[in-house]
Amino acid sequence: MFGRATSLRFRTTLLVIAAIVLVLGTATLAIDIRVDNEVAQRADTNLLERAQALADIYNSQTQASTQALPSYWIPSFLADDGTVYFQIDCGGRRVVSSSQAALLAWPALQPAQSMAFVDMADRQGTALRAIALRFSANANAPHGVGDTNADVASALGAPECVLGLAVDRSEVVDFQQSMDRIEFGAVVLGFLAVAVLTPLLVTRSLHPLSGLARAMETIGPDTPSMRLADTRIRELVPLITHFNEVLSRMEEGLLRERQFASSAAHELRTPLSELRTAIEVEMRYPSGRDVNELLADIGEIGQNMERMVTALLLLTRVEAGIERLALQRVDVSALTKTLIGRHRLRLQERSLKLAAQIDAQVTWMADPTLLDVVLGNLLGNAIAYAPAGSTIQLQCTASGWFVSNPAPDLTAEDVARMQQRFWRKGKEAGVHTGLGLSLAASAARAQSLRMELVLHEGNLLARVLVRFS
């Protein structure tokens, strides 16, 4: 048992929202990491510039005076920066230091390192960003400002110094957190916008499907010829095309079913009337005939009806492409004789003469049931509409089968329309071919036989020609 149907609108909305949130969240996270790194790098660059400036000030002071700097000395450009710690060690001796700087865990430089950055905190818990910078102190010989090459400094006889500078990094942290809040707020606003707009947009996008569903509701058995209108929406073009193809096949199948039912009803009407008449006459006016003979006549009528229904059903399935004919060799000579015997009583009733020329052992590649329909209908039509007391010509050869009967009331235009279903020349004329010739023509085409009707010197000639042996 199937569960509750899932809404396509809901599924599409959910997938779109999930995809946008995932992409937006990933992009925001990447941007946040990039911004934090950029801010941290700029803060470190600024800290490095301050440390180099402090080293340059130290060298300038020692060059101008031989006295050591006081321990409480603080550069003026660092005085307004809040919490600041710094110290300078030269030749293993501390030459200047801010208050409580010695209590901090300054980063240790490796011999090959010229600088190092580290995060630390003081006793008050203030978050600090510190740098340790190696530089050459001023000696009697001049040196480049900010030169950190230890080998050059040693060659000039200048002592090597290490400067430590730590500043409050709360502003940097606050700025990073502020950016995080802004980015998180942007993600939340984006999510809300997506959650509100996506259902509306999806509903708008799926509107053609709703129109398509309404159009499909109007199509039914009562309107088999209706089709869905074309659309410019690329995704719906294959759906509409295939649906219209299915409708066309359904209409063809419905028409075939209706035609089969109509044909069966029309063709069975005469034998059913004969069967009912025979039974009613025998019941009201007993003829004294042998029961077996009477039942044989009734059985013959039943066999005729069975052959007709079988042929109609087979022809309908072949024309629909549901079934393919399995052609076999059919003894046309024997079939023709059987048909003559089947219509012998009718020939006697209408005082018709049959001049038959049947070649021996004439065989065609055909379907026995459908070939019986073709030849039987042509012979039956000739017997039904030939003037009483006239002569019917019949010829059976390996190349074709021919039957000719006088038809004084027919014209060339009538013959051209005789293969139409239920064609009637006129109410007074009484010329009515019913389904016989139309059905015979369809059965002939199914077997690749060529059936022709020709009016020649007042005679209607029906011929069936073999296209292959």
Side-chain angles (χ1 to χ4, degrees):
M1 184 174 181
F2 293 102
R4 188 175 180 181
T6 304
S7 170
L8 180 60
R9 183 184 295 104
F10 174 76
R11 293 183 58 188
T12 305
T13 301
L14 188 62
L15 290 176
V16 171
I17 291 177
I20 293 178
V21 170
L22 179 62
V23 172
L24 187 60
T26 303
T28 303
L29 180 61
I31 293 174
D32 179 67
I33 295 174
R34 181 65 183 273
V35 170
D36 289 347
N37 291 338
E38 186 70 21
V39 171
Q41 289 178 3
R42 295 199 175 206
D44 287 347
T45 301
N46 182 265
L47 184 61
L48 174 61
E49 291 175 353
R50 292 184 179 190
Q52 289 176 337
L54 184 59
D56 292 341
I57 292 174
Y58 173 78
N59 282 331
S60 298
Q61 290 286 348
T62 56
Q63 186 176 6
S65 174
T66 58
Q67 296 180 358
L69 292 173
S71 60
Y72 54 83
W73 172 76
I74 297 178
S76 59
F77 68 90
L78 294 176
D80 298 331
D81 286 348
T83 304
V84 177
Y85 300 94
F86 70 92
Q87 67 179 18
I88 300 176
D89 295 341
C90 292
R93 182 174 61 87
R94 183 159 298 176
V95 295
V96 66
S97 174
S98 63
S99 177
Q100 298 183 357
L103 301 177
L104 301 179
W106 295 94
L109 292 177
Q110 300 298 324
Q113 281 185 305
S114 60
M115 69 179 72
F117 293 93
V118 68
D119 291 331
M120 57 185 185
D122 59 10
R123 286 189 171 184
Q124 290 75 26
T126 304
L128 303 174
R129 182 66 171 173
I131 181 176
L133 175 67
R134 193 191 306 274
F135 71 99
S136 297
N138 183 54
N140 295 331
H143 64 278
V145 176
D147 188 359
T148 58
N149 193 317
D151 295 335
V152 175
S154 300
L156 296 175
E160 187 178 82
C161 298
V162 176
L163 182 147
L165 177 61
V167 298
D168 188 355
R169 67 184 186 96
S170 59
E171 292 186 0
V172 175
V173 174
D174 291 342
F175 180 78
Q176 291 176 333
Q177 292 178 349
S178 177
M179 292 300 299
D180 292 343
R181 288 191 293 270
I182 292 174
E183 293 163 358
F184 178 76
V187 171
V188 172
L189 290 177
F191 172 78
L192 293 177
V194 168
V196 173
L197 294 178
T198 300
L200 300 177
L201 297 177
V202 171
T203 301
R204 180 67 178 175
S205 299
L206 296 179
H207 182 71
L209 287 179
S210 301
L212 193 63
R214 289 192 296 270
M216 290 180 177
E217 290 177 355
T218 61
I219 301 176
D222 298 333
T223 56
S225 60
M226 288 188 63
R227 298 292 183 272
L228 295 178
D230 294 334
T231 180
R232 295 184 179 179
I233 301 177
R234 184 181 305 172
E235 290 77 9
L236 295 182
V237 170
L239 176 62
I240 293 177
T241 301
H242 295 326
F243 187 77
N244 285 339
E245 291 176 355
V246 171
L247 290 178
S248 298
R249 291 195 294 269
M250 290 176 61
E251 182 184 13
E252 293 174 0
L254 183 61
L255 291 176
R256 283 193 297 268
E257 290 180 3
R258 291 178 177 176
Q259 182 175 339
F260 171 78
S262 175
S263 301
H266 185 275
E267 292 300 309
L268 294 179
R269 182 176 56 185
T270 299
L272 285 175
S273 298
E274 294 177 355
L275 182 61
R276 185 182 63 183
T277 301
I279 294 176
E280 290 179 352
V281 170
E282 189 64 28
M283 290 178 63
R284 292 184 181 181
Y285 309 102
S287 62
R289 297 174 56 191
D290 183 67
V291 176
N292 292 331
E293 182 181 352
L294 181 60
L295 293 177
D297 291 343
I298 295 176
E300 179 67 21
I301 297 175
Q303 289 178 0
N304 292 336
M305 290 191 293
E306 182 181 1
R307 281 194 298 267
M308 181 57 61
V309 172
T310 302
L312 285 173
L313 182 59
L314 176 61
L315 185 59
T316 301
R317 295 176 64 87
V318 170
E319 290 179 344
I322 302 175
E323 187 173 338
R324 296 185 62 181
L325 288 179
L327 302 182
Q328 55 183 302
R329 290 193 176 275
V330 179
D331 190 343
V332 185
S333 302
L335 177 59
T336 303
K337 294 176 182 178
T338 301
L339 293 175
I340 294 175
R342 191 183 302 167
H343 292 87
R344 190 175 302 279
L345 181 60
R346 184 62 174 164
L347 289 169
Q348 294 175 358
E349 290 176 352
R350 304 199 64 234
S351 302
L352 296 174
K353 296 180 181 180
L354 180 63
Q357 179 183 347
I358 304 175
D359 293 350
Q361 297 181 346
V362 175
T363 58
W364 293 353
M365 291 297 296
D367 181 86
T369 302
L370 294 184
L371 187 59
D372 186 299
V373 171
V374 176
L375 304 184
N377 274 281
L378 292 179
L379 180 58
N381 184 77
I383 295 173
Y385 299 108
S390 61
T391 301
I392 297 176
Q393 304 288 334
L394 188 148
Q395 185 178 6
C396 175
T397 65
S399 60
W401 191 91
F402 311 88
V403 61
S404 174
N405 64 278
D409 296 331
L410 292 180
T411 64
E413 294 180 357
D414 296 335
V415 174
R417 291 180 294 183
M418 288 183 68
Q419 296 185 30
Q420 299 177 4
R421 290 170 54 87
F422 308 117
W423 176 79
R424 181 185 294 272
K425 181 176 180 180
K427 293 183 179 180
E428 282 75 18
V431 179
H432 177 213
T433 63
L435 276 175
L437 296 182
S438 174
L439 188 61
S442 299
R445 284 194 301 270
Q447 302 172 91
S448 298
L449 300 175
R450 188 173 66 189
M451 192 189 88
E452 297 177 347
L453 298 176
V454 180
L455 188 62
H456 179 66
E457 297 180 353
N459 291 327
L460 177 63
L461 172 62
R463 54 192 178 192
V464 181
L465 304 178
V466 182
R467 297 182 179 180
F468 56 89
S469 59

